[in-house]
Amino acid sequence: MAAGGGIDPIHQFEIKPIVGLKLFGLDLSFTNSALFMVLTVAVIALITLFGSRQRATVPGRLQSLAELSYEFVASTLTGVMGKEGMRFFPFVFSLFMFVLTANLLGMIPGSFTVTSHIVVTAAFAFLVIGVVLVYGIVKHGSHFFGLFVPKGAPGWLLPFMVLIEAVSFVSRPISLSLRLFGNMLAGHVALKVFGGFVVMLTGTIGVGMVLAPLPMLLAIALTAFEFLVAFLQAYVFTILTCVYLNDALHPGH
């Protein structure tokens, strides 16, 4: 709620320092955002390390979760890039697990959604494009830039096609980061708004108390939908990462 008693859906995204630290004029404080990044890595480590430690024939819950995560990312990689794409498995697996875990942790009431901040999603997106550029140039040299030259295009149209392809390539990290950021931000804002409606209506007398279950039911439905979105956005981020990395392996059209 806002100071005046109204609904403030943006308050949940505020970055607050937990441990203040300033060095050489830089604010290096440990914030709630940093805390949930650490928690995200800790949860992933718990799943992967403890889940793969026993290697039982009949897997337990953690082992099953670790194996399912491995198989899901591996099948996604090979489906887009073939077996050659498995060289990117550690990178893609790390991205998928971090985004998915951060999304799910953000669903806990009172928690902080790391992926609802554009600076985080943009950092991941530019990291992906950076890997594509570095690997593509190192592996293919100048041939990598054939990615911007569509085969079969007539000579007079080629400059325009190259420009379009270049703009499309540059826009990839922007669209990749905005898609994840926008979906997570919008979903949590909607949940906050409808949750606030429930609180406001239950505090009234008469018609408000009768109508209170309606936004509550919608909030429950939105929560279930947000869990689905949390997985779907991690999957979309992963599949697009695989598509972009495929350009580094096979830069020709």
Side-chain angles (χ1 to χ4, degrees):
M1 294 291 180
I7 301 172
D8 182 13
I10 305 299
H11 182 72
Q12 59 183 314
F13 305 111
E14 183 180 353
I15 297 179
K16 301 177 182 179
I18 299 175
V19 179
L21 178 63
K22 291 187 177 181
L23 291 175
F24 307 108
L26 297 175
D27 189 354
L28 303 177
S29 301
F30 187 77
T31 64
N32 53 348
S33 178
L35 173 62
F36 275 89
M37 289 185 190
V38 172
L39 288 176
T40 299
V41 174
V43 171
I44 297 171
L46 175 67
I47 295 173
T48 54
L49 294 179
F50 287 91
S52 59
R53 185 175 59 179
Q54 294 182 347
R55 300 180 182 177
T57 305
V58 180
R61 294 178 181 177
L62 276 180
Q63 184 177 338
S64 296
L65 185 58
E67 290 177 355
L68 284 173
S69 301
Y70 177 93
E71 291 173 2
F72 177 79
V73 176
S75 62
T76 303
L77 268 171
T78 54
V80 175
M81 292 183 277
K83 293 183 178 180
E84 192 178 1
M86 286 299 291
R87 67 185 60 186
F88 293 112
F89 178 83
F91 176 65
V92 176
F93 182 80
S94 299
L95 281 178
F96 171 75
M97 291 298 291
F98 188 95
V99 173
L100 177 61
T101 306
N103 288 352
L104 294 177
L105 284 178
M107 294 300 300
I108 300 173
S111 65
F112 186 87
T113 310
V114 173
T115 48
S116 65
H117 282 257
I118 187 67
V119 65
V120 175
T121 59
F124 285 145
F126 280 99
L127 175 62
V128 170
I129 299 303
V131 171
V132 172
L133 285 172
V134 172
Y135 184 87
I137 293 174
V138 169
K139 182 176 176 61
H140 302 285
S142 59
H143 178 68
F144 171 75
F145 296 101
L147 177 69
F148 306 108
V149 184
K151 291 183 178 179
W156 65 271
L157 193 58
L158 198 57
F160 301 100
M161 296 298 295
V162 170
L163 178 61
I164 292 173
E165 291 291 336
V167 171
S168 175
F169 186 87
V170 172
S171 66
R172 286 180 176 182
I174 300 174
S175 62
L176 192 61
S177 58
L178 286 177
R179 183 181 291 105
L180 177 58
F181 152 75
N183 278 278
M184 299 311 299
L185 179 73
H188 282 71
V189 167
L191 283 175
K192 182 73 172 182
V193 170
F194 283 103
F197 284 160
V198 174
V199 175
M200 292 172 61
L201 289 174
T202 52
T204 60
I205 300 175
V207 179
M209 295 184 65
V210 177
L211 296 178
L214 296 179
M216 180 180 293
L217 291 173
L218 188 53
I220 294 173
L222 277 173
T223 301
F225 181 71
E226 274 299 291
F227 275 104
L228 177 62
V229 169
F231 174 79
L232 285 178
Q233 288 305 310
Y235 171 71
V236 170
F237 196 94
T238 303
I239 195 72
L240 289 177
T241 297
C242 293
V243 171
Y244 299 155
L245 289 172
N246 186 53
D247 287 339
L249 285 175
H250 312 104
H253 282 264

